[in-house]
Amino acid sequence: MSKRIPWEADILEVLINEEQIRAKTAEIAHQISQDYEGKEVILVGVMVGAVVFLADLMRAMEIPVSVDFVAISSYGKDTRSSGVVRILKDLDMNIESKHVIIVEDIVDTGLTLKYLVDNLSARSPATLRVCALLDKPSRRKVPVTIHYVGFTVPDKFVVGYGLDFDQRYRNLPFVGVLRPEIYAG
Ligand code: IMP
């Protein structure tokens, strides 16, 4: 494990290592490429957390893709969902009659995803699916369908590979559990 990032001292345990992420990303990319063979897909990344996953996923895909982003209000320093969801940055592209896949870092309560699916559905895409690197089903408040899932994680606050706490740790190459004393202040 690389020691180049001193923040690793804040990590209690590595849940998913680089190699596991790489293999799973390739697997999902291949599955999507098969499912959408002969079609063109718009990947909608949910900023900022999904950026790292999206960057690797799109490069492993074997069909034409374009990419757009939405930004949703986040929890800030709070590790629990406020339940308040709003769009801070909307799509630049028109998704009407297009094949759209929402790319998320993690689905926790499901509130963000539910809002996004409802919002994007109203724009009449040809198809709309969801791809999430991580799923934390134990915390779900609203039911959501995730068509492509990387890993199911326990009810612990995780960081790395795009996921942050207070905007930090996104550049860790693995997904790890943050030491509780860090977010307990
Ligand atoms: P949801 O609306 O509760 O499903 O939350 C989704 C968003 O919350 C994700 O896109 C993340 O930005 C953030 N989030 C949820 N759980 C975690 C976590 O364990 N670590 C870091 N961010 C998280």
Side-chain angles (χ1 to χ4, degrees), residues 13 20 29 49-50 64 69 77 91 95-96 107 123 125-126 134 175:
E13 117 191 63
Q20 289 171 304
F69 292 95
K77 288 188 176 184
L91 292 177
I95 60 168
E96 188 180 344
V107 181
R123 306 181 196 193
L134 305 176
V175 173

Side-chain angles (χ1 to χ4, degrees), residues 21-22 24-33 40-46 50-69 93 101-104 131 133 161:
I21 294 172
R22 196 204 55 74
K24 184 63 78 176
T25 302
E27 193 184 306
I28 294 174
H30 186 65
Q31 185 64 53
I32 293 175
S33 302
E40 194 158 339
V41 166
I42 300 178
L43 299 177
V44 172
V46 184
V51 164
V52 179
F53 177 46
L54 176 58
D56 285 342
L57 183 73
M58 66 185 285
R59 280 178 292 178
M61 283 176 60
E62 303 138 31
I63 53 168
V65 297
S66 41
V67 177
D68 204 345
F69 292 95
M93 298 173 77
I101 302 177
I102 297 170
V103 180
E104 260 284 26
C131 174
L133 176 70
Y161 199 70

Side-chain angles (χ1 to χ4, degrees), residues 45-48 69-73 86-90:
V46 184
M47 285 168 69
V48 176
F69 292 95
V70 286
I72 304 286
S73 59
R86 64 195 170 97
I87 290 189
L88 302 176
K89 183 233 168 276
D90 206 340

Side-chain angles (χ1 to χ4, degrees), residues 95-152:
I95 60 168
E96 188 180 344
S97 306
K98 307 283 188 190
H99 297 287
V100 177
I101 302 177
I102 297 170
V103 180
E104 260 284 26
D105 52 356
I106 185 168
V107 181
D108 188 30
T109 63
L111 290 166
T112 307
L113 193 56
K114 163 112 180 51
Y115 175 83
L116 209 50
V117 166
D118 289 350
N119 188 295
L120 298 192
S121 294
R123 306 181 196 193
S124 307
T127 59
L128 180 63
R129 285 189 172 181
V130 175
C131 174
L133 176 70
L134 305 176
D135 183 14
K136 206 193 274 183
S138 55
R139 299 229 327 144
R140 202 72 93 245
K141 286 187 181 163
V142 288
V144 285
T145 304
I146 313 172
H147 306 83
Y148 306 98
V149 184
F151 304 90
T152 299

Side-chain angles (χ1 to χ4, degrees), residues 2-15:
S2 157
K3 284 286 171 213
R4 69 194 164 83
I5 306 168
W7 293 334
E8 286 179 19
D10 298 349
I11 303 301
L12 194 62
E13 117 191 63
V14 174
L15 269 190

